[in-house]
């Protein structure tokens, strides 16, 4: 019995050390950097809780660069965008710095973490603050989003974000210290209070050089 207890204690200790080591390593990109990429998707959709605003676009075209094992930057151009506020159409939506009606350019950075309670890698996109107009309606989007990533020593990969009714599928993740971090996307309309929002988006990526996510 003493041997069994000792064996179980060692196993539990090794498991704890293994998890801690994995957290310390943090998922990272593995390949030759910098590594540029292009991406495309169809029918991306933003939804704010309570139907405060629903933004639907025809497609995205984006470019980006993996600068290092821990750093990725991106420019995502949403095209053919229009919105409804509380179910009422407010027409085409255009970013404040965009010149083409219905186009919204989103810039940001990406880091990697773990899905909460697991050692499954996830991607965390931070977007800072984005402004766009739909007719006389001014919309401000800020915060970050957590999504899944498929990237296994290849020149192609996928990003996937899920959610509904203003709630993202993942709103928390684990960082490299094993800490739980909250990550929310928020939207305000015409200066009103911020509402939690979600993004539905499936992106197919093509890299200049093969890359993978190591955990």
């Amino acid at each position: 019995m003493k041997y069994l207890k000792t064996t179980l204690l060692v196993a539990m200790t090794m498991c704890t050390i293994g998890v801690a080591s994995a957290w310390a390593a943090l998922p990272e990109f593995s390949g030759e950097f910098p590594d540029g990429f292009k991406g495309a998707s169809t029918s991306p959709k933003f939804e704010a809780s309570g139907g405060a605003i629903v933004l639907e676009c025809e497609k995205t075209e984006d470019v980006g660069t993996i600068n290092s094992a821990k750093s990725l930057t991106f420019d995502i151009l949403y095209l053919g965008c229009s919105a409804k506020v509380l179910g009422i159409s407010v027409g085409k939506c255009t970013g404040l710095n965009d010149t083409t009606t219905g186009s919204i350019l989103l810039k940001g950075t990406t880091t990697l973490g773990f899905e909460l309670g697991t050692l499954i890698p996830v991607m965390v996109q931070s977007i800072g603050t984005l402004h766009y107009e739909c007719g006389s309606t001014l919309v401000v989007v800020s915060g970050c989003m957590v999504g899944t990533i498929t990237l296994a020593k290849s020149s192609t990969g996928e990003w996937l974000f899920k959610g509904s009714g203003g709630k993202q599928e993942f709103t928390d993740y684990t960082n490299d210290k094993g800490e739980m971090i909250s990550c929310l996307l928020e939207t305000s309309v015409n200066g009103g209070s911020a509402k939690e929002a979600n993004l539905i988006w499936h992106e197919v990526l093509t890299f200049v050089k093969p890359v993978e996510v190591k955990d």
Side-chain angles (χ1 to χ4, degrees):
M1 181 63 71
K2 182 182 292 186
Y3 174 78
L4 178 60
K5 289 182 178 179
T6 301
T7 302
L8 289 173
L9 179 60
V10 170
M12 292 173 63
T13 301
M14 293 303 293
C15 181
T16 301
I17 291 173
V19 171
S21 298
W23 276 330
L26 187 67
E28 61 183 23
F29 298 108
S30 176
E32 184 181 346
F33 309 123
D35 189 358
F37 66 86
K38 293 182 179 180
S41 71
T42 58
S43 304
K45 182 179 182 180
F46 285 90
E47 300 175 304
S49 59
I53 188 166
V54 176
L55 175 74
E56 296 181 283
C57 303
E58 294 175 1
K59 62 181 181 178
T60 65
E61 296 175 354
D62 50 291
V63 296
T65 304
I66 301 179
N67 300 296
S68 69
K70 307 286 187 182
S71 173
L72 182 154
T73 56
F74 60 82
D75 288 12
I76 304 171
L77 183 61
Y78 291 84
L79 298 167
C81 300
S82 59
K84 292 181 179 180
V85 174
L86 298 176
I88 300 172
S89 175
V90 290
K92 292 287 186 180
C93 301
T94 306
L96 293 191
N97 296 318
D98 293 285
T99 56
T100 302
T101 301
S103 298
I104 302 172
L105 179 62
L106 175 66
K107 295 187 176 186
T109 60
T110 294
T111 57
L112 295 171
F114 290 113
E115 181 183 328
L116 196 63
T118 75
L119 294 179
I120 300 173
V122 292
M123 58 181 298
V124 183
Q125 286 196 345
S126 299
I127 66 171
T129 302
L130 171 69
H131 299 78
Y132 63 88
E133 289 181 323
C134 312
S136 59
T137 301
L138 176 63
V139 183
V140 179
V141 182
S142 61
C144 64
M145 305 167 287
V146 179
T148 58
I149 182 169
T150 302
L151 192 56
K153 211 167 187 178
S154 172
S155 293
T156 61
E158 297 182 27
W159 292 345
L160 181 62
F161 293 87
K162 293 181 180 181
S164 63
K167 189 74 172 180
Q168 202 74 26
E169 180 183 28
F170 301 115
T171 55
D172 302 300
Y173 68 98
T174 304
N175 68 5
D176 57 340
K177 298 178 182 178
E179 302 167 332
M180 185 186 78
I181 305 296
S182 293
C183 180
L184 296 178
L185 185 68
E186 296 184 319
T187 299
S188 66
V189 179
N190 290 330
S193 59
K195 303 288 186 180
E196 189 174 349
N198 70 270
L199 169 65
I200 301 171
W201 181 41
H202 182 194
E203 184 84 356
V204 178
L205 307 167
T206 303
F207 295 86
V208 174
K209 293 168 282 191
V211 65
E212 67 177 326
V213 172
K214 298 184 67 175
D215 55 14

